[in-house]
């Protein structure tokens, strides 16, 4: 019975990254052996145990055999005859198929350390194609490690294409697909996630609304990069500089999906793409379990981002209506997210990445003026009448005064 540290803990340790979770594999043991040592069994599909003190996961070494479609269509063998090498070869990537003994010796039968040195994300074996979830995981690893110079090697991209062409991605649960998306959005380079999915054809399956944007032109005057899909990738880069909130990054990713509906004879103009995009966001939400806050922010950014770009031209009543649609007075924190996504859109354009965005300060100044309003005092001074109407009139007057002040500055 031998125990080895495996997977992400070894990989991250070799990369000099903080190790958050440690996973162990046990060779030459049975479930009874583990229980006798005080471990608690938690695995249903295969034997996984929690250490009685550290609560870290210990799994019996196992092999797997494909018996059905999807991510869970496997039969497992966790007998005492399974070797460490047999356990490691079933793992998705060489950089995740490295083990370490309790004495610190590295065991690397599939070249993971070399791939770590070269920045290569590579499949461990051709069995990679048996699990469709690996397509999304590889794209996510590309996003996570892009800042360290990692990229997916072409042979692995080809295997990912095979998985897509075999229709295996459709076997993944919506919850699992969304989980990979959400994790990717939390990394420094989520645009790499989109790039890799597109390179292997998976983006067309899991997020066709965004995939459709590549090849759709925009007016060069406003978008030097021209291609809408490339614009989205640039916007994601900017969003990551402005906010680490994944809801902001998601809203940025989908803010222009309506441009994918513009008839070709109308290109490169996209009049009305803001509201047109709302139906596509509904399609995404019908397919994936997008959380409410992601959904709410993405809809606001989709419908109103162009208003913010020309906010200094808006009439006071239109400006107040925008604030109310954003629910900015009651939820000022959501306005900050909206502003970040819109600024990312303005800067996600070739050569304009460092442009000033005074619209953000302009709308913030309007909100600050509205938040400073003493509603109770205003209602009392009105001496009666409909309170909501009184507050509405007072807010409009404040917006008018603020606009005059800002334009005079």
């Amino acid at each position: 019975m031998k125990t080895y540290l495996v997977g992400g803990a070894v990989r991250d340790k070799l990369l000099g990254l903080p190790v958050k979770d440690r996973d162990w594999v046990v060779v030459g043991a049975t479930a009874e052996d583990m229980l006798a040592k005080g471990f608690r069994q938690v695995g249903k599909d295969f034997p996984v145990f929690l250490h009685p003190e550290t609560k870290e996961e210990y799994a019996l070494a196992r092999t797997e055999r494909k018996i059905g479609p999807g991510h869970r269509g496997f039969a497992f063998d966790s007998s005492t005859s399974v070797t460490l090498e047999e356990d490691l070869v079933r793992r998705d990537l060489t950089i995740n198929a490295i083990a370490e003994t309790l004495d610190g010796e590295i065991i690397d039968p599939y070249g993971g350390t070399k791939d770590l040195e070269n920045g290569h994300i590579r499949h461990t074996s051709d069995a990679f194609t048996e699990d469709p979830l690996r397509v999304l995981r590889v794209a996510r690893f590309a996003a996570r490690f892009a800042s360290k110079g990692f990229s997916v090697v072409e042979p692995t991209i080809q295997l990912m294409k095979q998985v897509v062409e075999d229709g295996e991605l459709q076997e993944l649960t919506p919850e699992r697909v969304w989980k990979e998306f959400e994790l990717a959005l939390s990394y420094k380079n989520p645009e790499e996630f989109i790039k890799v999915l597109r390179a292997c054809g998976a983006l067309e399956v899991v997020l066709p609304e965004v995939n459709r944007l590549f090849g759709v032109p925009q007016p060069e005057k406003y978008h030097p990069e021209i291609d809408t899909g490339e614009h989205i990738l640039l916007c994601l880069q900017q969003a990551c500089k402005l906010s680490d909130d994944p809801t902001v990054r998601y809203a940025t990713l989908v803010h222009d999906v309506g441009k994918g509906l513009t008839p070709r004879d109308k290109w490169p103009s996209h009049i009305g793409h803001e509201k047109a995009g709302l139906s596509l966001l509904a399609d995404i939400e019908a397919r994936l379990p997008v959380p409410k806050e992601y959904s709410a922010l993405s809809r606001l950014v989709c419908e109103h981002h162009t208003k913010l770009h020309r906010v200094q031209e808006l009439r006071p009543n239109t400006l107040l209506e925008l604030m109310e649609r954003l629910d900015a007075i009651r939820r000022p924190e959501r306005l900050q997210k909206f502003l970040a996504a819109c600024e990312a859109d303005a800067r996600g354009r070739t050569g304009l990445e460092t442009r000033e965005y005074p619209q953000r300060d302009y709308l913030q100044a309007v909100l600050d003026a509205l938040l400073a309003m003493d509603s109770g005092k205003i209602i009392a001074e009105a001496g009666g009448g409909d309170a909501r109407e009184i507050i509405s009139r007072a807010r409009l007057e404040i917006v008018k005064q603020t606009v005059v002040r800002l334009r005079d500055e």
Side-chain angles (χ1 to χ4, degrees):
M1 177 176 172
K2 295 183 179 180
T3 301
Y4 303 88
L5 184 65
V6 295
V10 180
R11 177 199 66 226
D12 291 351
K13 182 178 179 181
L14 292 173
L15 286 172
L17 298 173
V19 175
K20 297 180 180 179
D21 299 307
R22 301 196 302 174
D23 293 316
W24 304 84
V25 66
V26 183
V27 177
T30 64
E32 290 73 20
D33 294 331
M34 301 298 288
L35 295 173
K37 290 180 176 293
F39 285 78
R40 181 167 64 89
Q41 185 168 352
V42 295
K44 296 179 180 180
D45 298 327
F46 49 83
V48 178
F49 304 83
L50 295 182
H51 190 282
E53 296 177 3
T54 67
K55 307 304 179 185
E56 292 177 336
E57 289 191 357
Y58 286 66
L60 298 184
R62 65 186 187 273
T63 59
E64 56 189 30
R65 178 171 53 88
K66 184 79 168 177
I67 58 173
H71 171 55
R72 299 185 178 278
F74 292 90
F76 298 96
D77 175 14
S78 57
S79 64
T80 56
S81 63
V82 177
T83 67
L84 175 64
E85 289 74 15
E86 288 174 326
D87 179 272
L88 293 177
V89 77
R90 69 174 177 76
R91 296 172 185 269
D92 52 0
L93 301 172
T94 60
I95 61 175
N96 295 331
I98 309 171
E100 182 181 334
T101 69
L102 296 179
D103 296 328
E105 177 189 355
I106 295 296
I107 300 176
D108 178 26
Y110 305 108
T113 53
K114 183 178 180 181
D115 282 337
L116 285 177
E117 293 171 2
N118 294 329
H120 290 162
I121 298 175
R122 184 192 310 276
H123 61 283
T124 304
S125 74
D126 286 349
F128 174 95
T129 60
E130 295 179 351
D131 185 352
L133 182 61
R134 290 173 171 174
V135 172
L136 298 181
R137 278 174 51 84
V138 167
R140 177 164 60 81
F141 277 117
R144 182 179 179 186
F145 294 123
S147 62
K148 290 187 170 293
F150 277 75
S151 61
V152 186
V153 299
E154 185 58 29
T156 300
I157 291 289
Q158 293 303 316
L159 287 185
M160 294 165 71
K161 286 183 178 179
Q162 181 181 329
V163 175
V164 174
E165 291 169 0
D166 290 344
E168 282 280 302
L169 286 185
Q170 286 87 338
E171 300 296 332
L172 294 175
T173 65
E175 291 75 18
R176 197 60 206 245
V177 172
W178 174 255
K179 181 179 180 180
E180 295 296 320
F181 262 97
E182 194 168 28
L183 284 170
L185 289 170
S186 71
Y187 298 146
K188 291 182 179 179
N189 297 97
E191 75 279 359
E192 293 298 325
F193 180 72
I194 301 300
K195 287 181 182 179
V196 172
L197 289 184
R198 183 165 178 262
C200 69
L203 190 61
E204 172 60 32
V205 178
V206 297
L207 203 60
E209 296 83 1
V210 171
N211 187 70
R212 193 181 300 133
L213 299 178
F214 289 89
V216 174
Q218 304 168 107
E220 186 175 3
K221 176 181 178 181
Y222 305 106
H223 290 274
E225 72 286 349
I226 300 177
D227 188 281
T228 307
E230 295 301 323
H231 167 60
I232 293 300
L233 298 178
L234 293 171
C235 288
L236 272 179
Q237 293 175 359
Q238 294 301 315
C240 292
K241 295 177 181 179
L242 295 165
S243 174
D244 58 5
D245 191 323
T247 62
V248 172
R249 298 175 181 186
Y250 175 73
T252 302
L253 173 66
V254 299
H255 80 277
D256 263 350
V257 290
K259 292 180 179 178
L261 297 178
T262 304
R264 284 176 173 266
D265 61 354
K266 302 296 183 182
W267 288 356
S269 177
H270 296 280
I271 296 174
H273 74 277
E274 301 91 346
K275 288 192 175 181
L278 297 178
S279 65
L280 296 180
L281 295 186
D283 291 342
I284 296 172
E285 293 160 15
R287 193 171 63 250
L288 297 174
V290 180
K292 288 183 179 180
E293 184 58 28
Y294 285 76
S295 171
L297 183 63
S298 66
R299 288 171 176 272
L300 290 171
V301 174
C302 180
E303 184 174 2
H304 301 295
H305 65 278
T306 55
K307 288 191 183 74
L308 184 59
H309 296 337
R310 51 187 178 84
V311 68
Q312 291 143 312
E313 304 170 11
L314 299 182
R315 293 176 297 179
N317 59 327
T318 305
L319 191 52
L320 178 59
E321 180 184 349
L322 174 62
M323 299 297 278
E324 292 173 345
R325 291 291 300 276
L326 296 173
D327 201 12
I329 298 171
R330 193 171 65 91
R331 301 190 60 176
E333 74 284 354
R334 179 180 284 178
L335 178 67
Q336 296 306 313
K337 298 178 183 181
F338 173 81
L339 291 172
C342 293
E343 185 169 353
D345 173 40
R347 291 183 173 177
R349 309 172 193 222
T350 301
L352 301 175
E353 294 86 354
T354 60
R355 74 190 303 182
E356 295 294 325
Y357 196 66
Q359 295 93 325
R360 182 173 190 149
D361 292 339
Y362 188 94
L363 196 62
Q364 183 64 54
V366 173
L367 176 61
D368 291 343
L370 288 170
L371 291 176
M373 187 181 88
D374 188 336
S375 299
K377 181 180 179 181
I378 290 173
I379 292 174
E381 290 178 348
D386 186 297
R388 292 180 61 181
E389 185 177 338
I390 293 170
I391 293 299
S392 182
R393 287 199 303 266
R395 285 176 175 173
L396 181 57
E397 185 58 33
I398 286 176
V399 173
K400 289 178 179 178
Q401 294 173 5
T402 306
V403 167
V404 170
R405 174 174 61 81
L406 291 172
R407 289 175 179 172
D408 287 342
E409 289 180 353

